[in-house]
Amino acid sequence: MNFVLIVIGIWVVVIGAWWILTSAFKSADSGKIRDRLLGTNRPVRPKKGSRTVAPLLAEEDKTTGRVVLQIMARFQLQDRLKTMIEQAGLKWKPARLIHMCLSLFLGGFAVGWLFLPSRYQPLALLPGLAFSCLPVLYVTRKRASRLRKFEEQFPESLEFVARSMRAGHAFSVSLEMLHREFQEPLAGEFRRAFEEHNLGLPLETALQKLAQRVPSLDVHFFVSAVLLQKRTGGNLAEILDKLAYVIRERFKLRGKIRAISAHGRMTGMALSSIPCAVAAMMFVTNPDYVTFFVREEVGNYMALGAVGLQIIGYGIIKKIVTIEV
């Protein structure tokens, strides 16, 4: 019965916090309604028989999450979060990501506050911080997976462009054919580059924006090769074939390095998991011995030092076995 009451209390806290945040973030809407009722900000009505012209570019809605947008603008986070979300292939807004982080922080803090003893209730910030990082970790993993899939498709796309150019197609037409022959995410990125160029943007600028959206060394090589060929001339199809060959060789070398360093990575994982496994076994077999690290102040310092040294050791091992190609 107590567990049910605790669960209900957690949900009430989370829903109440979400309602408070939502009402605070949408406080700007009440000002709009008041202006309309008082007639201080009357919208201009179109004349009878005239057509309303939609704007060419869709403007960003800045009324939703206005407080969050102001905070992000102050710390210059909006552009970074927007770029990261765009590279992950998600349709979210930066304000939505911040709202999710705040909601999960409140939920984790409530869980820690209810389940931890009264002496350690200030430590409820730790599960709150851990929960708040989950949306950012999800976006980061989606971004890494999308970029890795793009890099896997990229050499084949370069060979396709080279073959289409040998068949007599122009370079811009080859870009258009890419989004019909390949899958996402490569198809979407090249379709966007072609549409930007087709709407009047110079090809150099469209390719440079492609390199900004896809932060990959291979894409930068491709853009540099195309721009250099546009200025100095040369056989672009042959250049793309050689670039695709170099990228494939880099993939092979990366695979060999991962196979060689697999032993070191497994050793690091084993050394990092052994203390946790031993602590769990001791908690089952001899709880009084383990609770010393929780009850006593000296034990708290010892446990904190052990965790810190464990993190430092794992970071050193990871630094040793990680070889950039």
Side-chain angles (χ1 to χ4, degrees):
M1 186 64 182
N2 294 332
F3 179 77
V4 175
L5 293 176
I6 291 173
V7 173
I8 294 174
I10 293 173
W11 278 106
V12 169
V13 170
V14 173
I15 294 174
W18 175 258
W19 180 79
I20 293 173
L21 288 174
T22 305
S23 61
F25 294 148
K26 293 185 177 180
S27 60
D29 294 338
S30 60
K32 287 185 176 181
I33 296 173
R34 183 175 62 254
D35 292 338
R36 290 183 180 179
L37 291 176
L38 297 176
T40 57
N41 188 16
R42 296 178 182 177
V44 179
R45 296 182 180 179
K47 297 181 180 179
K48 187 176 181 180
S50 62
R51 295 182 300 174
T52 57
V53 181
L56 181 61
L57 298 177
E59 297 181 355
E60 184 180 1
D61 185 11
K62 296 184 179 180
T63 58
T64 303
R66 186 175 180 181
V67 177
V68 175
L69 291 176
Q70 291 177 355
I71 295 174
M72 289 191 297
R74 182 175 182 180
F75 292 98
Q76 298 179 355
L77 294 175
Q78 185 172 3
D79 294 336
R80 297 179 183 178
L81 292 178
K82 188 176 181 180
T83 302
M84 185 175 65
I85 293 171
E86 184 179 8
Q87 291 173 354
L90 301 174
K91 302 298 181 181
W92 296 357
K93 294 182 179 180
R96 179 182 177 183
L97 179 62
I98 299 299
H99 290 166
M100 294 174 64
C101 293
L102 291 175
S103 302
L104 290 176
F105 172 79
L106 292 175
F109 181 80
V111 171
W113 186 270
L114 291 175
F115 284 95
L116 287 176
S118 59
R119 180 182 177 183
Y120 300 102
Q121 282 183 347
L123 297 178
L125 291 172
L126 298 179
L129 293 175
F131 276 63
S132 65
C133 294
L134 292 179
V136 179
L137 292 177
Y138 173 75
V139 174
T140 305
R141 289 183 63 87
K142 287 282 291 183
R143 175 181 178 271
S145 177
R146 188 170 182 268
L147 294 178
R148 183 170 59 251
K149 190 175 180 180
F150 183 94
E151 291 179 349
E152 293 174 356
Q153 298 174 338
F154 193 56
E156 187 177 355
S157 68
L158 294 181
E159 294 177 349
F160 178 84
V161 173
R163 290 194 300 267
S164 63
M165 292 183 67
R166 289 194 181 97
H169 297 289
F171 178 74
S172 59
V173 177
S174 302
L175 295 182
E176 181 186 7
M177 296 170 63
L178 279 177
H179 78 267
R180 291 183 294 181
E181 299 294 334
F182 287 83
Q183 299 178 352
E184 296 290 341
L186 187 138
E189 294 295 340
F190 277 100
R191 180 178 65 249
R192 182 172 175 179
F194 170 75
E195 289 176 352
E196 289 175 349
H197 174 59
N198 195 30
L199 291 174
L201 197 67
L203 181 61
E204 293 80 3
T205 307
L207 292 178
Q208 289 173 358
K209 293 182 67 175
L210 172 65
Q212 293 176 359
R213 293 194 304 269
V214 184
S216 174
L217 186 62
D218 301 330
V219 178
H220 286 280
F221 284 156
F222 164 71
V223 174
S224 300
V226 173
L227 297 182
L228 185 62
Q229 189 272 340
K230 290 291 183 181
R231 295 175 183 176
T232 61
N235 191 349
L236 183 58
E238 184 178 356
I239 295 174
L240 295 180
D241 281 335
K242 291 182 179 180
L243 181 59
Y245 173 77
V246 172
I247 294 173
R248 292 184 187 278
E249 291 298 321
R250 286 184 61 224
F251 284 162
K252 292 180 182 179
L253 180 60
R254 187 182 302 174
K256 292 180 181 179
I257 291 176
R258 286 185 61 85
I260 294 173
S261 61
H263 182 269
R265 287 185 282 111
M266 292 180 63
T267 302
M269 294 175 61
L271 293 177
S272 301
S273 59
I274 285 175
C276 300
V278 172
M281 293 173 59
M282 292 298 296
F283 185 79
V284 175
T285 57
N286 192 0
D288 296 333
Y289 180 79
V290 179
T291 52
F292 163 76
F293 297 97
V294 180
R295 295 177 180 176
E296 302 294 335
E297 185 177 359
V298 179
N300 295 336
Y301 290 129
M302 294 175 63
L304 184 61
V307 172
L309 292 175
Q310 188 72 19
I311 294 174
I312 293 173
Y314 178 78
I316 293 174
I317 295 175
K318 185 174 179 60
K319 184 67 175 179
I320 293 173
V321 302
T322 301
I323 303 174
E324 296 183 359
V325 182

